[in-house]
Amino acid sequence: MSVTAIIAAAGSGERFGAGIPKALIQLGDRTLLQHAVASLAPVVDQLIISAPAGYEQQISELLGEGVTVVTGGATRSASVRNALALATGQYVLVHDAARALASTDLAGAVISALKSGESAVVPAVAIVDTIKFVGTDNYVASTLDRTSVVSIQTPQGFLTSALREAHGAGGDATDDGALIEANGGKVKIISGEDRALKITTAADLHTALGFLGFDSTYRSGIGSDAHAFSVGRQMWLAGLFWPDQDGVDGHSDGDVAAHAICDALFAATALGDLGSNFGTDRPQYAGASGVQLLQETLAIITTAGYSISNVTVQIIGNRPKISTRRAEAIAAISLSLGGADVSISATTTDGMGLTGEGKGIAAIASALVFKR
Ligand code: CTP
Ligand code: MG
């Protein structure tokens, strides 16, 4: 009696607004998707991930062997259908990557209910707010009896044949249970759990960190860097290549924004600085790119039990013009830092000093982190 798990991870995370798919956002020591995989893997025989288009290979590499990755669809239901087509288990669990912390025990309870004869099982928790129907005129039409209303979670479990039939008409719903209901099927409710909350906004990520034992002791740090322009070298800045611009001196790519952020993170976590972490001790990083150093810095501070609240960097120089590529630069740095909240500003120095005289470029960064 084999079980397939489908993890819907193809959403863009619009409401979270990280600039990368929500499933790839870092929560503690791993991404939301990796948390979801880790909790389902012990109790299922097959794992299929529905990935955002363009991220299939990255997700495949992130999760390694034993996981099938398919391209998601335009809606959650379409993403589930794409994975369902490859399901070989007699039972199937459908789970949201966004509910990263749902426990293995919860998945086990869903499977137990299926094995005891249910054909559709969904976890639920009580609602704390009063729920009202509202008319289009913005007046209350009626108030529901709160004791008979619940909030639905995932993983949801189904007889695979029943879920295939429910999806057969190509319907669209925000959960799979609703498609079974629409098809006339019975959906069994079991107890859900608070930690299976759906991570939708940055505040939810914070709540989830609480479940992982992170506290709210914040630490801040600053970092700065400067390099002289050098004719004929490539310009790398804020994780981006800037064609038609001369780069800077140095044996790295000279990305002052990335270097300043790394130093700010090391300062906030009291883990030394760029030199002590990537200097003589680890010569393999001598010529590393700014993006590589950001990724490696994230790995170091994560191992030490820290999580990033936000980082901000100000680039100081006459060129290049940052504002034209600000969103792209924020996305590149955020991606290197596991989806961290990043902001970038730029300024000039009124013709004065190293940067004002056009001799080079500098950056100053701050970081806020908190510890587990
Ligand atoms: N999902 C999916 N395919 C879609 C849309 C959503 O696989 N076309 C997945 C998401 O990745 C998520 C789950 O369905 O794990 C629940 O969706 P939601 O929390 O709404 O995530 P997003 O759609 O990514 O977020 P938002 O609505 O804020 O954009
Ligand atoms: Mg959505």
Side-chain angles (χ1 to χ4, degrees), residues 10-12 14 50-53 71-82 171-173:
S12 57
E14 205 70 39
S50 203
T71 306
T75 62
R76 182 185 181 281
S77 294
S79 296
V80 170
R81 272 194 290 283
N82 291 355
D172 186 28

Side-chain angles (χ1 to χ4, degrees), residues 12-30:
S12 57
E14 205 70 39
R15 286 168 291 180
F16 198 98
I20 61 169
K22 196 164 68 178
L24 294 177
I25 286 170
Q26 194 84 12
L27 170 63
D29 61 352
R30 55 188 97 167

Side-chain angles (χ1 to χ4, degrees), residues 2 19 43 69 77 81 83 103 107 124 135 139 149 189 209 220 223-224 280-281 315 321 329 347 352:
S2 63
V43 291
V69 177
S77 294
R81 272 194 290 283
S103 70
Y139 284 93
V149 178
I189 297 284
L209 282 165
S220 68
S224 66
T280 43
D281 281 1
I315 296 164
K321 196 124 200 82
T347 191
M352 298 178 292

Side-chain angles (χ1 to χ4, degrees), residues 28-161:
D29 61 352
R30 55 188 97 167
T31 61
L32 297 190
L33 179 56
Q34 286 170 298
H35 280 288
V37 167
S39 66
L40 295 192
V43 291
V44 304
D45 307 287
Q46 183 192 22
L47 254 167
I48 310 176
I49 314 298
S50 203
Y55 287 86
E56 299 88 342
Q57 198 189 333
Q58 186 182 336
I59 285 177
S60 205
E61 283 165 13
L62 184 71
L63 300 177
E65 301 275 293
V67 173
T68 304
V69 177
V70 301
T71 306
T75 62
R76 182 185 181 281
S77 294
S79 296
V80 170
R81 272 194 290 283
N82 291 355
L84 192 56
L86 300 182
T88 56
Q90 178 188 355
Y91 300 116
V92 62
L93 298 187
V94 183
H95 190 36
D96 292 333
R99 296 187 189 273
L101 295 187
S103 70
T104 304
D105 283 351
L106 182 60
V110 172
I111 294 169
S112 294
L114 290 171
K115 290 189 171 167
S116 73
E118 301 293 345
S119 59
V121 181
V122 304
V125 289
I127 280 175
V128 291
D129 295 314
T130 295
I131 307 290
K132 295 180 190 288
F133 278 117
V134 184
T136 47
D137 56 1
N138 249 355
Y139 284 93
V140 172
S142 62
T143 300
L144 274 70
D145 171 13
R146 193 169 68 193
T147 57
S148 60
V149 178
V150 289
S151 200
I152 293 298
Q153 304 180 322
T154 71
Q156 302 186 352
F158 307 93
L159 256 182
T160 306
S161 55

Side-chain angles (χ1 to χ4, degrees), residues 166 310 327:
N310 78 300

